[in-house]
Amino acid sequence: AQSVTQLDSQVPVFEEAPVELRCNYSSSVSVYLFWYVQYPNQGLQLLLKYLSGSTLVKGINGFEAEFNKSQTSFHLRKPSVHIRDTAEYFCAVTFRGHTGFQKLVFGTGTRLLVSP
Amino acid sequence: NAGVTQTPKFQVLKTGQSMTLQCAQDMNHEYMSWYRQDPGMGLRLIHYSVGAGITDQGEVPNGYNVSRSTTEDFPLRLLSAAPSQTSVYFCASSYAGMEGEYFGPGTRLTVT
């Protein structure tokens, strides 16, 4: 069965510093990978996704993620964070190669806290 | 486009009451899903639908019913509310699953 692990429940960082949010997954088959962001009292918004091709994926708001198949990781990075990046970030994975609905499995989330 | 809309935004129920959470999307997406979000547990899939008239169970279906009579609407029914169903509920839709899902703003439900 698939599972997604986000080891850091909270990551505090100062404004303009770089940040990396870690995501590891377990799956014996190829997967699609996603990062979502949730701002306070809002729904989830898709940040970026990896379906195939280049392992470095660029998303919205200056975020990027790198797919590492050998380490089964999909870490999210931003070289310089802003106060407005304070939010909860969720990594999610789904099966690749299946037809029909592909269920998303979410990690437990990482709260990014950016302070001045 | 309004995207995915959910009503109500907030709801308080007493144990044993029933209610329906509404979800609608105007993007002509075939796939729709219901998730619940609880602290420290991420999002868990309750039920999903791959098209009008077709639904299936997710990870935590007990105590919930769904139906899909149109492409646009996917209501979630709580049959007899329990305190364990206190949560934030999100509806989502997608064109083909692997493209990522679009989420509604959520319904915060409290069962006393």
Side-chain angles (χ1 to χ4, degrees):
Chain A
Q2 291 177 323
S3 66
V4 179
T5 302
Q6 292 181 248
L7 283 174
D8 304 308
S9 60
Q10 190 165 290
V11 173
V13 64
F14 289 110
E15 194 173 20
E16 297 184 8
V19 71
E20 178 179 84
L21 306 184
R22 296 180 294 169
C23 173
N24 288 87
Y25 66 93
S26 65
S27 176
S28 58
V29 299
S30 295
V31 295
Y32 296 125
L33 297 154
F34 305 85
W35 275 99
Y36 286 85
V37 59
Q38 184 180 31
Y39 299 103
N41 300 314
Q42 293 188 27
L44 276 72
Q45 180 182 3
L46 182 64
L47 260 183
L48 49 78
K49 60 188 174 188
Y50 172 78
L51 305 181
S52 65
S54 172
T55 56
L56 184 62
V57 180
K58 293 192 183 298
I60 61 172
N61 301 340
F63 283 93
E64 62 183 31
E66 185 155 20
F67 169 57
N68 188 320
K69 187 175 181 179
S70 62
Q71 297 187 6
T72 59
S73 67
F74 191 54
H75 300 332
L76 181 70
R77 301 186 184 101
K78 186 169 183 178
S80 176
V81 294
H82 299 283
I83 296 283
R84 63 176 177 266
D85 293 323
T86 293
E88 187 131 21
Y89 292 79
F90 292 94
C91 182
V93 62
T94 188
F95 284 114
R96 179 179 175 183
H98 284 54
T99 58
F101 183 79
Q102 299 179 36
K103 303 176 190 180
L104 272 175
V105 175
F106 284 86
T108 51
T110 297
R111 187 174 300 277
L112 178 63
L113 296 169
V114 183
S115 53
Chain B
N1 286 351
V4 180
T5 57
Q6 292 182 237
T7 56
K9 284 188 165 37
F10 302 94
Q11 183 70 49
V12 179
L13 290 178
K14 293 188 187 309
T15 297
Q17 287 184 315
S18 62
M19 81 158 294
T20 299
L21 308 185
Q22 301 292 344
C23 174
Q25 52 92 9
D26 61 359
M27 296 174 283
N28 203 32
H29 286 166
E30 287 297 317
Y31 300 153
M32 295 187 75
S33 320
W34 276 102
Y35 294 88
R36 59 178 290 173
Q37 182 180 27
D38 302 292
M41 302 191 74
L43 279 81
R44 293 180 293 170
L45 183 65
I46 304 171
H47 284 286
Y48 65 96
S49 169
V50 299
I54 307 170
T55 64
D56 203 351
Q57 295 182 348
E59 182 185 355
V60 288
N62 292 339
Y64 307 96
N65 261 0
V66 293
S67 60
R68 183 105 178 263
S69 56
T70 67
T71 299
E72 294 78 20
D73 300 298
F74 191 43
L76 177 72
R77 282 182 288 278
L78 278 70
L79 309 171
S80 177
S84 61
Q85 294 179 305
T86 293
S87 187
V88 181
Y89 291 85
F90 288 101
C91 179
S93 73
S94 66
Y95 175 68
M98 76 285 286
E99 296 184 356
E101 295 191 85
Y102 292 83
F103 283 80
T107 294
R108 187 174 294 273
L109 176 69
T110 302
V111 183
T112 61

